[in-house]
Each structure stands twice: as structure tokens, then as C-alpha cells.
Amino acid sequence: MYETIHTIHSFIAYAVLLILILAVVNAFSGWLGNKMFTPEKDFRLSLFALILSHIMLIIGLILFFVSPNGLSAIQEFGMGGLTSLARKLAVEHPFINIIAIALITVGWSRHKKFIEGEKKFKSIAIFYGIGLLLILSRIPWGQWF
């Protein structure tokens, strides 16, 4: 079960990163270019990034509880007994990614309050951008490639 969930988590990570990068680039270009916020493209792109990141969070939380590097490692060795890689996988990666997805959610919620396209794009660009940077900072790059 662990291997299957881990594989799903890894494949969806690529999709999440791709769609988040597209949403952030789109939001910055709309914000800096003073474009109109369109439901056909901008709304759907941002919503799809939000939905995929939440799906990733749910799969990641399931993985945290079934993984030998997750909760069971903390219970077995304690925080002081974890190696730096185990600590990154068991503590830093989940914690920072939860914060990142919370920021993405805040950006989505804030953008709905505005009417002007510039403010909508700005909200998405800032919050999704910070979320993306946080996610990129906690990816275990050595295990990914």
C-alpha cells in the first residue's frame, strides 16, 4: 500500500508543480500587464491549481501515516533520533507544504473578494507564488530524480 500511495504522490507532484508554475506565471503576467481576469482561462487555471494542490495534500497526509519515514519514524526514534533526511521527510516536508497549501487557499479566497482584474491577479500571484516557493524548498530533490 505504501509503494502505491508513494508512486501516486510522486506523479501528482509533477502535475501540481506544472499547474502551479503556469498559474503563477499567468497571474504575474495578468497583474503586470493590466489584463482582464477571464473565467475561461484565468479562473479555471487558478482553480485547477487549487484543486490539484489539495488533492496532493490529502495523498501526502495519507502517505505520512502509512510511510516508514512519517509518523512511525517519529514514534520509534523520537525527534532527536532522526537523521537529517528522515527529519526532512517526517517533519519539514509535511509542515511546510501544509503552510504552502494554506497560503494558496488564502490567495484563492482573497481573489474572490475583488472585482478588478489587477487585484485578482495580484492576490493569486503573491499567495500562489509564495506557496510554490515553499513547496519547491521542501521537495526531497535527491530522492525525486
Side-chain angles (χ1 to χ4, degrees):
M1 182 165 134
Y2 164 73
E3 291 297 325
T4 304
I5 296 171
H6 187 265
T7 303
I8 292 169
H9 185 72
S10 295
F11 281 123
I12 292 179
Y14 291 110
V16 169
L17 285 178
L18 177 67
I19 197 72
L20 271 176
I21 289 169
L22 289 174
V24 169
V25 168
N26 180 62
F28 271 107
S29 69
W31 176 26
L32 300 175
N34 257 348
K35 297 180 182 174
M36 293 289 297
F37 193 85
T38 61
E40 296 82 28
K41 178 184 138 203
D42 306 317
F43 178 84
R44 289 183 182 173
L45 183 62
S46 303
L47 179 61
F48 193 56
L50 175 80
I51 291 170
L52 264 182
S53 64
H54 279 86
I55 290 171
M56 183 69 156
L57 173 64
I58 291 168
I59 293 170
L61 288 174
I62 293 169
L63 187 62
F64 177 76
F65 288 106
V66 299
S67 170
N69 294 325
L71 187 60
S72 61
I74 296 171
Q75 291 172 337
E76 184 177 341
F77 300 111
M79 289 300 291
L82 296 176
T83 64
S84 63
L85 178 61
R87 187 189 72 239
K88 183 176 188 176
L89 292 175
V91 180
E92 296 171 10
H93 178 77
F95 181 71
I96 295 298
N97 286 333
I98 288 170
I99 292 171
I101 293 172
L103 287 170
I104 291 168
T105 305
V106 167
W108 174 258
S109 297
R110 281 180 44 102
H111 109 278
K112 294 190 301 183
K113 296 178 182 177
F114 301 121
I115 297 172
E116 304 88 14
E118 179 185 353
K119 289 183 180 180
K120 285 180 175 285
F121 281 125
K122 181 179 178 182
S123 177
I124 291 171
I126 291 171
F127 286 97
Y128 278 44
I130 294 170
L132 176 62
L133 289 176
L134 288 175
I135 289 170
L136 289 172
S137 76
R138 292 299 110 199
I139 291 176
W141 293 105
Q143 290 185 334
W144 228 30
F145 294 112

